[in-house]
Amino acid sequence: MNFFHFRGGELYCEDVPVRTIADKVGTPFYLYSASTIKRHVRVFAEAFSGIDHLVCYSVKANSNLAVLRLMAGMGTGADIVSGGELHRAMKAGIDPSRIVFSGVGKTAREMELALEAGILMFNVESGEELQTLARVACSLGKTAPVAMRVNPDVDPKTHPYISTGLKKNKFGIPVTEALALYRQAAELDGIRVAGIDCHIGSQLTTSDPFGEAVMRLMDLIEKIEGEGIPIRYLDIGGGLGIIYDKESPPLPADYAETVLKALGNGNRTLILEPGRVIVGNSGILVTKVLYRKKGATKNFVIVDAAMNDLIRPSLYEAYQKIVPVRESDETREITDVVGPICESGDFLGRDLRLAIPEKGELLAVMSAGAYGFSMSSQYNSRPRAAEVMVMDSRFEIVRERETYEDLIRGERFFEE
Ligand SMILES: *Cc1c(COP(=O)(O)O)cnc(C)c1O
């Protein structure tokens, strides 16, 4: 459930008309509903209330400071994948003892920063990474708590670009090699084994692959603990899907039930790294119609947002619902909604059934709160969009629209 809804034919975010914000802020802009984000965090955490657990919000889904601040306020931890995300999480006041660090390519410098901060755990993805981490930790006189990210080789049945737990993916350590690496880790100076981790993919719409992954991890835990290496944390990653169109993903409670069933008992803390399910349907992208035109075979609605603002449609062929901010009873036609960028791949929607809006009308790209702004760029020298947050009847700009000066910051001429 989210707090975007129509009242008197106008789209509202909580108690604020989207149009009012557009008049004030200009377009395009991302719009986040704080009450929706908080609700999603609450519902997700409640699903696991029966057991010892920690929710580490996946920062890469939406890393705006105001979003992270909501997480901090609710006592939520963070799953980070870079030094930059660590910086953001700390700035927002997220407790470092609730931060886990994922990713296949952590640099020594990033490891240092995370060790200095005192994060909960590094999710290690290779033997070489483990060696580097041990060396960095020793040089700081610290001990790095680690989990091995295991690749359980289960098919998440999602888009190939966002499946991560198959043998052929770059992520994690093969199940067959994990035990040997745990033995090594247990002996290494500067390393303390804390847990085990996996993350099998994103936008999963069934629970079964999660259950399957947890079972494979449980088998492995038995072997590892059998060698006297205790596993305190079981991190099962993120990946729970959301409704963009006609998907029917499990509710957090169903997801929890599947996971808990596979988990059995044991004195462990479960770590969860949800991203999309928290913020995906908590945000929209608001854009203005610049022009309409009829191509030889189809209609085009040209808007002022583009693939640099929201790349999911071009990158993953992802469907994002697009609705007029003012409800229309015009007959619907098949149309593409495209941006101004000089690429044929620059579309927000293709072959949509939409009442062709007037020039100057506002459109809302729904379900854009996750992997929207955080994947945006300045391609075609387009300043990145503003971000706005609403709570009840109040709205604030939480990131200014970039300026042309922002585009060239740090650049200089090369003197011949
Ligand atoms: C991206 C990612 C997540 C979050 O995935 P969602 O599908 O947004 O829930 C969690 N953990 C890791 C390691 C990730 O890479």
Side-chain angles (χ1 to χ4, degrees), residues 43-282:
V43 168
F44 192 88
E46 269 166 21
F48 291 92
S49 58
I51 63 157
D52 187 13
H53 74 278
L54 175 63
V55 176
C56 293
Y57 165 69
S58 177
V59 173
K60 74 179 193 286
N62 185 324
S63 45
N64 184 283
L65 285 183
V67 172
L68 299 181
R69 183 66 133 203
L70 293 178
M71 303 300 164
M74 299 183 83
T76 307
D79 166 44
I80 59 165
V81 292
S82 69
E85 288 191 352
L86 176 63
H87 183 69
R88 285 179 175 279
M90 304 275 288
K91 277 270 183 231
I94 291 178
D95 182 348
S97 74
R98 295 180 177 199
I99 294 180
V100 296
F101 195 165
S102 303
V104 290
K106 305 172 194 78
T107 65
R109 179 68 189 137
E110 289 175 322
M111 291 170 178
E112 271 172 24
L113 293 169
L115 283 164
E116 298 284 7
I119 66 163
L120 177 63
M121 189 163 88
F122 292 83
N123 291 337
V124 169
E125 302 218 16
S126 67
E128 291 193 359
E129 181 191 339
L130 182 68
Q131 295 295 338
T132 302
L133 182 58
R135 182 173 53 72
V136 172
C138 286
S139 73
L140 294 177
K142 294 189 182 290
T143 304
V146 303
M148 302 302 162
R149 174 165 174 183
V150 174
N151 184 330
D153 192 29
V154 296
D155 186 354
K157 303 196 170 62
T158 183
H159 190 281
Y161 285 9
I162 49 179
S163 91
T164 53
L166 284 169
K167 267 186 200 158
K168 64 178 181 192
N169 297 134
K170 71 176 176 181
F171 297 99
I173 295 155
V175 175
T176 47
E177 288 165 34
L179 185 58
L181 205 57
Y182 270 101
R183 284 188 196 121
Q184 233 187 67
E187 299 295 317
L188 265 179
D189 284 340
I191 298 289
R192 175 171 57 79
V193 172
I196 193 165
D197 166 53
C198 74
H199 170 72
I200 57 174
S202 199
Q203 184 53 16
L204 271 73
T205 50
T206 63
S207 287
D208 296 344
F210 292 114
E212 186 61 33
V214 171
M215 281 195 286
R216 294 193 187 179
L217 257 55
M218 294 308 294
D219 283 348
L220 203 50
I221 289 176
E222 202 178 306
K223 291 188 186 124
I224 299 163
E225 293 195 327
E227 304 210 358
I229 306 169
I231 299 292
R232 163 80 205 279
Y233 297 102
L234 171 54
D235 181 341
I236 63 165
L240 185 57
I242 64 169
I243 300 174
Y244 286 98
D245 186 17
K246 296 188 177 71
E247 302 90 342
S248 46
L251 294 170
D254 303 328
Y255 164 70
E257 194 186 313
T258 305
V259 169
L260 297 187
K261 213 181 284 166
L263 207 55
N265 37 22
N267 199 12
R268 266 178 285 274
T269 303
L270 186 66
I271 296 180
L272 303 138
E273 303 172 348
R276 191 188 309 268
V277 70
I278 304 295
V279 289
N281 277 317
S282 305

Side-chain angles (χ1 to χ4, degrees), residues 325-340:
V325 164
R326 175 177 292 136
E327 274 179 325
S328 161
D329 42 24
E330 296 289 309
T331 52
R332 296 177 180 203
E333 293 180 46
I334 304 296
T335 185
D336 285 10
V337 175
V338 302

